Amino acid sequence: MKKQHDFTKGNIFKHLIIFSGPLMLTNLLQTSYQFADSLWVGNLLGANALGAVAISSTIIFTVLSFVLGLNNAALTILSQQKGKDDETGLKRYLNAFVIILTILALGLSILGFVLAEQLLLLLGTPENMLLEAKAYLQINFLGILFLFGYNFISTVLRAMGDSKTPLRFVIIAVLLNIILNPLFIAGLNLGISGAAYATIVAQGTAFFYGIIYVLSKKLAPFSAPTMPSKQEVGLILNLGIPAGLQMAVISAGSAAIMSVVTIFGSSVVAGFGAAQRLDRILMLPAHALGTAVNSMAGQNIGVHDWQRVKKIAKYGVLYNFSIMLLVGIIVVLFAEYGIRLFIEDTEAVAFGTKYLQIIALCYPFLGINFVLNGIVRASGAMYQVLVLNIISFWVLRFPLSYIFSSWFGDTGIPLGMGTSFLLSSFVAFMYFRFGKWREKQLFSRSK
């Protein structure tokens, strides 16, 4: 139990640094997980197989986005229960989440397996990739319970104030995936199916190890499953559905931005694609801080310590700004070297470099969104965060990228996006400061 932090007491800034560090490393390892998959498939099976994995991964990412949304709901509910030290409530909501996620996982597993080909055709999968993409997707859907499971166990532990133990599970999954991919693909001659089997074996091992470890160490009060009450199911769905939709808004918004990028031709698309790969890595600290403040604020909202919540927001914003400003400066200096890791085409490298150098200095403002939205989310105000995301992507980022690109050519893409980061951080601050999210009450004051 020493790994668990009680965020309702002690030095807030120290808690933030210690708790967010493993989260940043976990996020980095999960990114490398996807990179390893692409590396082995591309090198051992060729471009068609890599394309099949890329198309299938779009569907898998959509499902994962909804899972992450539900996990955000779990983080909020469970961290509040942990903060108010309500052991009975914690057990009840843990049980309810286990039942709901298990039913959802099994249902999605069957539906996904049966509808895999139709989903791929809906995405316009080329005929020469369809069979491989279908095999890869169906196997992944069969193992979706493991994906749900090990992500949920990690979320539960973070709600308890433990970000180090989930790092173990991710390390196991990543290392196994790296080892099993070439073994299954080439050694056992399973082809693209081998890559899918490697993924579900790695995730399954991490899931079962996580269950055994958490139960043996008594890190969370799991109990024998029972049917949850209507109140528990209602609260979970009331938070989980908008939280899942938040991820859908983000995914759709990213696709809309791509429609602006494609106007300028293949070199700009290639440069943008390379820059986006780096973007995902560079924004990991901000993502981690958003999760950290969600858990920290959730525990304090559970005991109605609003002054401490205010301080968590303040330190979170300052810590984010300092880290992301440093990241931005490094990117400005070394952007071209990073882009050249992925592409060599002169025009593509030039655009990718320009994009990163312009947008990098706006990273701190995007990070403010993650932190302040994480605090608001901790109160249970999921619909409000959904609206903030809609404003960020559909009122600001997509329109500004389109308008600026029509004025300044391809340079307008990063200019529009960077401007949207700044404006959306202002919107997030105004809602944090003046919005009614503090009035959201998930549980009564008494146990």
Side-chain angles (χ1 to χ4, degrees), residues 250-282 335 338-340 342-343 345-359 363 393 397-398 401-402 405 409-418 420-421:
I250 292 168
S251 298
S254 299
I257 297 292
M258 183 58 79
S259 72
V260 176
V261 175
T262 54
I263 294 170
F264 295 94
S266 59
S267 293
V268 171
V269 171
F272 183 79
Q276 286 291 289
R277 289 188 188 183
L278 290 170
D279 247 353
R280 293 188 191 103
I281 297 170
L282 297 170
I339 294 294
R340 287 190 181 277
F342 300 99
I343 49 174
D345 178 79
T346 305
E347 289 183 21
V349 169
F351 174 77
T353 302
K354 175 174 64 177
Y355 172 90
L356 282 179
Q357 288 178 331
I358 291 172
I359 211 163
Y363 284 154
F393 276 88
R397 196 175 305 182
F398 172 55
S401 299
Y402 180 79
S405 66
D410 60 25
T411 304
I413 297 169
L415 285 175
M417 289 182 69
S420 77
F421 293 171

Side-chain angles (χ1 to χ4, degrees), residues 8 76-86 295-306 309 378-379 443-446:
T8 62
T76 293
I77 291 172
L78 299 177
S79 62
Q80 286 199 26
Q81 291 288 343
K82 169 68 175 176
K84 64 189 286 195
D85 198 25
D86 185 352
S295 183
M296 292 176 67
Q299 287 193 18
N300 285 280
I301 290 170
V303 291
H304 303 275
D305 190 344
W306 294 103
V309 171
S379 71
F443 310 105
S444 60
R445 287 177 181 266
S446 58

Side-chain angles (χ1 to χ4, degrees), residues 14-15 26 33 104 135 166 176 195 208 225 229 243 252 261 263 268 272 282-283 303 313 328 391:
K14 183 179 177 182
H15 277 317
T26 298
Y33 191 103
L104 188 61
L176 270 177
F208 287 116
S229 69
V261 175
I263 294 170
V268 171
F272 183 79
L282 297 170
M283 287 308 301
V303 291
I391 292 170

Side-chain angles (χ1 to χ4, degrees), residues 97-388:
F97 271 111
V98 168
I99 297 295
I100 290 170
L101 286 171
T102 301
I103 293 170
L104 188 61
L106 293 174
L108 278 172
S109 184
I110 295 166
L111 277 174
F113 185 86
V114 173
L115 299 176
E117 186 171 341
Q118 286 85 345
L119 290 170
L120 290 165
L121 289 171
L122 195 64
L123 290 179
T125 305
E127 193 175 338
N128 63 334
M129 294 181 184
L130 186 59
L131 282 177
E132 287 188 314
K134 180 183 176 182
Y136 184 83
L137 187 57
Q138 284 184 322
I139 294 166
N140 270 281
F141 267 119
L142 287 177
I144 208 166
L145 179 64
F146 303 144
L147 178 65
F148 274 46
Y150 101 94
N151 273 288
F152 176 65
I153 293 170
S154 297
T155 298
V156 171
L157 292 173
R158 288 169 192 143
M160 302 294 104
D162 178 4
S163 60
K164 291 181 180 177
T165 302
L167 183 58
R168 269 179 202 253
F169 310 153
V170 176
I171 289 171
I172 288 169
V174 169
L175 289 178
L176 270 177
N177 193 50
I178 291 171
I179 294 166
L180 294 178
N181 255 306
L183 177 64
F184 285 8
I185 293 170
L188 299 178
N189 202 28
L190 293 174
I192 198 168
S193 296
Y197 285 125
T199 296
I200 65 170
V201 169
Q203 290 174 347
T205 304
F207 171 53
F208 287 116
Y209 173 79
I211 291 174
I212 294 166
Y213 188 85
V214 169
L215 292 177
S216 64
K217 300 289 183 181
K218 299 180 179 178
L219 298 180
F222 284 105
S223 56
T226 56
M227 285 305 295
S229 69
K230 287 183 181 179
Q231 179 189 359
E232 291 156 8
V233 173
L235 180 60
I236 289 169
L237 294 181
N238 191 37
L239 269 62
I241 290 171
L245 288 174
Q246 288 167 28
M247 304 304 293
V249 165
I250 292 168
S251 298
S254 299
I257 297 292
M258 183 58 79
S259 72
V260 176
V261 175
T262 54
I263 294 170
F264 295 94
S266 59
S267 293
V268 171
V269 171
F272 183 79
Q276 286 291 289
R277 289 188 188 183
L278 290 170
D279 247 353
R280 293 188 191 103
I281 297 170
L282 297 170
M283 287 308 301
L284 291 179
H287 279 286
L289 284 172
T291 302
V293 298
N294 191 334
S295 183
M296 292 176 67
Q299 287 193 18
N300 285 280
I301 290 170
V303 291
H304 303 275
D305 190 344
W306 294 103
Q307 282 303 310
R308 198 166 169 86
V309 171
K310 185 178 178 181
K311 287 180 181 177
I312 291 168
K314 175 185 172 182
Y315 287 126
V317 167
L318 291 173
Y319 189 37
N320 156 78
F321 209 88
S322 59
I323 289 177
M324 296 314 296
L325 185 60
L326 177 62
V327 169
I329 291 169
I330 293 170
V331 170
V332 168
L333 295 174
F334 300 102
E336 184 176 343
Y337 299 102
I339 294 294
R340 287 190 181 277
L341 290 173
F342 300 99
I343 49 174
E344 287 294 336
D345 178 79
T346 305
E347 289 183 21
V349 169
F351 174 77
T353 302
K354 175 174 64 177
Y355 172 90
L356 282 179
Q357 288 178 331
I358 291 172
I359 211 163
L361 295 178
C362 301
Y363 284 154
F365 298 103
L366 184 58
I368 289 171
N369 275 317
F370 287 118
V371 172
L372 295 182
N373 288 352
I375 298 284
V376 173
R377 190 182 293 116
S379 71
M382 298 297 182
Y383 283 101
Q384 290 87 329
V385 177
L386 175 60
V387 171
L388 288 170

